[in-house]
Amino acid sequence: MGHITSRQAYKSLEERINWFTQGAPPSETLYKILQVLYTEKEAKWMALLPVRPFTAKKAAKIWRTTEYKAEKVLEHLCEKALLVDSYHNGVRKFVMPPPMAGFFEFALMRTRGDIDQKYLSELYYQYMNVEEDFVKDLFYATETRLGRVYVQEPVLSSENALHILDYERASYILDEAEYIGLGTCYCRHKMLHAGHPCEINAPLDVCLTLGNVARSLAQNGGFARLIDKAEARDVLERSYAANLVQIGENVQNNPMFICNCCGCCCEALQAARKFSPMQPVATTNYQPKVKQETCIGCGKCEKVCPILAISMEEGENGKKKPVIDMDICLGCGVCANNCPTKAIEMERRPVQVITPVNSTHRFVLQAIEKGTLQNLVFDNHAFANHRAMAAVFGVILSLPPLKQALASKQFKSIYLDKLLSSQVNKKKKQIKE
Ligand code: SF4
């Protein structure tokens, strides 16, 4: 009976986690992971919490306890990085992060003795590297990707460096961030414990969280250390030197993280290799071009490409030359940064990549694409307040007609249909005029 009750607590938690558009498909391994991260009591509490940020008062009501006791529990969950807190007009609010990017990673962003990190890493390896459902769902379930790649800025020509947009530069994102947190790279930490250490021996201390998430992780449980902009630039430079790829949240404004990734440990880059030619993250707006007259055929670019997009092939004159698979190239610039003769130039792609403006924009796009918009808005009450709903409608009104039609179908909202038809009428009127 005890076993059944315990199982039920984790089952409820798994269902709660899958309210997110990016959840975690159930499996025996997932249950074991949840058992490491949450006690049975914590699983029961977490399963009842809403999606959108809530106060201790709200949690007390849900848990039928006092506000004082609820606050203590919430603080404890923040200290385990299972919740993130924030302050709105002096009021402290809490939110449960998704598994990824979220509480899966946070658990390994520092060394800790309260959980068995080796066992957890082995479970993560099984769930993400052996079983494939989680990774496929995370990276390929929606056309709008969770992450995007930043081009390595030192390889841009002076003309490209002039024209690159601010949000395309990792350095700009770091300069603009209110808080920057530095933690241990979850991927390499996991692979080290799971018996597959990083093949290029890349540094571990280069995981950057940004904004409120960085502050919360630093102030609760020390999962990150707050650093200044100069140190953040240093992290970026060390990562360039270690041939790591910069991958951040796929938004223009206030991304929550910038990871510095190696091809052997990072789940996204591993997925790029494994499920090629499907790209797990949005590319940069750049692509490499080899100047054949300058290339000496050394093969360095082939060796460093994190997703194995370059192969050395014999040319007409018997000389080896690099051939780049443009269908899978992420445009990171690691090859150009390593070429000893500067034979690789990064050019602007002919078709520009569209990046969601902010996290709300990304959530709505992904929910529409996955067919879960209605759940997101109504069932989970994630956006069930007027301001948040206005933001969601604003995003939908800015979408192309096909996506608007999909949203309208899922939403079944008379109000949204009216907004959309008045937008169409307005456009028709403008055309007539
Ligand atoms: Fe040619 Fe540069 Fe690649 Fe060497 S690293 S093969 S020189 S493009």
Side-chain angles (χ1 to χ4, degrees):
M1 183 68 190
H3 173 73
I4 294 168
T5 315
S6 165
R7 177 82 185 183
Q8 187 53 46
Y10 292 101
K11 173 75 188 144
S12 304
L13 177 60
E14 173 259 297
E15 285 168 2
R16 165 64 185 77
I17 289 167
N18 281 301
W19 287 359
F20 294 114
T21 302
Q22 278 154 336
S27 88
E28 269 314 305
T29 316
L30 176 67
Y31 286 110
K32 288 178 189 163
I33 290 171
L34 297 180
Q35 280 171 330
V36 174
L37 296 175
Y38 303 80
T39 64
E40 187 188 332
K41 261 190 189 169
E42 288 165 356
K44 271 189 206 162
W45 292 329
M46 292 292 282
L48 297 170
L49 293 175
V51 171
R52 71 187 171 102
F54 56 89
T55 58
K57 192 174 174 183
K58 173 93 180 172
K61 205 171 158 197
I62 294 169
W63 291 338
R64 296 183 187 180
T65 185
T66 64
E67 204 174 319
Y68 176 80
K69 279 187 186 155
E71 178 111 37
K72 289 279 157 228
V73 172
L74 294 169
E75 254 167 29
H76 169 73
L77 293 168
C78 279
E79 272 165 21
K80 289 182 80 177
L82 298 172
L83 285 179
V84 169
D85 68 352
S86 59
Y87 292 85
H88 303 266
N89 301 324
V91 179
R92 190 180 187 191
K93 290 194 173 181
F94 304 85
V95 75
M96 181 183 179
M100 202 172 268
F103 69 86
F104 274 6
E105 286 115 320
F106 300 160
L108 291 181
M109 275 174 55
R110 71 166 169 78
T111 308
R112 50 196 281 205
D114 61 326
I115 57 171
D116 185 340
Q117 288 189 314
K118 180 168 168 45
Y119 176 54
L120 181 64
S121 299
E122 286 161 358
L123 292 172
Y124 278 169
Y125 185 82
Q126 171 67 25
Y127 191 53
M128 295 176 218
N129 300 72
V130 180
E131 297 167 26
E132 290 176 351
D133 288 355
F134 176 76
V135 160
K136 281 183 183 163
D137 189 61
L138 184 71
F139 295 125
Y140 301 111
T142 58
E143 189 190 325
T144 301
R145 299 303 196 217
L146 166 68
R148 71 179 170 103
V149 179
Y150 294 85
V151 66
Q152 296 207 341
E153 293 166 52
V155 302
L156 293 179
S157 64
S158 41
E159 204 197 324
N160 272 334
L162 267 181
H163 293 115
I164 187 169
L165 300 171
D166 283 343
Y167 74 82
E168 294 177 299
R169 294 192 290 122
S171 61
Y172 175 83
I173 298 290
L174 295 178
D175 281 346
E176 288 296 295
E178 193 181 357
Y179 298 100
I180 306 170
L182 181 63
T184 301
C185 165
Y186 137 85
C187 296
R188 287 190 281 284
H189 194 187
K190 172 194 93 175
M191 293 299 251
L192 185 66
H193 277 308
H196 306 274
C198 178
E199 288 162 16
I200 60 168
N201 204 17
L204 279 163
D205 60 333
V206 287
C207 176
L208 296 168
T209 42
L210 307 172
N212 182 65
V213 174
R215 184 208 50 76
S216 180
L217 289 174
Q219 289 178 354
N220 301 298
F223 287 85
R225 173 172 65 82
L226 290 181
I227 59 171
D228 61 20
K229 297 187 193 308
E231 191 171 351
R233 288 277 189 140
D234 181 60
V235 170
L236 203 53
E237 277 159 26
R238 284 194 290 119
S239 301
Y240 290 158
N243 294 331
L244 301 178
V245 180
Q246 288 64 57
I247 301 180
E249 185 191 359
N250 186 22
V251 293
Q252 295 178 23
N253 301 325
N254 306 318
M256 284 181 286
F257 63 90
I258 295 183
C259 299
N260 289 296
C261 309
C262 56
C264 48
C265 302
C266 163
E267 264 103 35
L269 297 180
Q270 274 289 302
R273 291 181 182 195
K274 203 167 174 181
F275 303 111
S276 172
M278 290 194 295
Q279 286 166 324
V281 284
T283 70
T284 70
N285 274 317
Y286 295 86
Q287 59 187 23
K289 187 181 173 199
V290 181
K291 286 185 279 177
Q292 298 300 343
E293 62 285 6
T294 321
C295 172
I296 53 169
C298 67
K300 189 124 200 244
C301 49
E302 181 193 40
K303 281 196 193 93
V304 295
C305 177
I307 57 156
L308 316 177
I310 304 178
S311 53
M312 297 302 289
E313 290 178 15
E314 206 152 299
E316 281 166 15
N317 52 5
K319 187 183 145 192
K320 290 255 183 191
K321 60 171 191 163
V323 176
I324 305 174
D325 185 344
M326 289 303 178
D327 288 339
I328 62 171
C329 175
L330 297 172
C332 64
V334 168
C335 55
N337 205 17
N338 278 272
C339 176
T341 60
K342 306 262 174 277
I344 302 181
E345 266 179 7
M346 297 304 287
E347 302 182 311
R348 198 87 184 159
R349 283 181 196 254
V351 178
Q352 298 301 283
V353 179
I354 295 173
T355 305
V357 178
N358 52 31
S359 298
T360 307
H361 193 189
R362 177 174 71 78
F363 290 148
V364 171
L365 284 172
Q366 290 187 307
I368 291 172
E369 290 159 9
K370 217 175 173 187
T372 58
L373 186 64
Q374 196 185 5
N375 296 349
L376 183 72
V377 176
F378 297 115
D379 296 350
N380 308 332
H381 306 288
F383 294 114
N385 68 38
H386 288 104
R387 277 180 59 198
M389 285 289 274
V392 172
F393 284 144
V395 170
I396 294 171
L397 287 173
S398 69
L399 297 175
L402 195 67
K403 287 235 161 89
Q404 285 184 343
L406 272 174
S408 167
K409 211 171 158 190
Q410 291 172 41
F411 231 170
K412 294 192 180 83
S413 157
I414 295 168
Y415 178 61
L416 176 62
D417 287 347
K418 280 206 168 144
L419 278 178
L420 290 172
S421 67
S422 85
Q423 190 189 42
V424 170
N425 290 339
K426 223 172 168 182
K427 276 188 188 156
K428 277 185 188 163
K429 212 173 148 199
Q430 278 169 351
I431 292 167
K432 269 187 192 167
E433 285 167 4

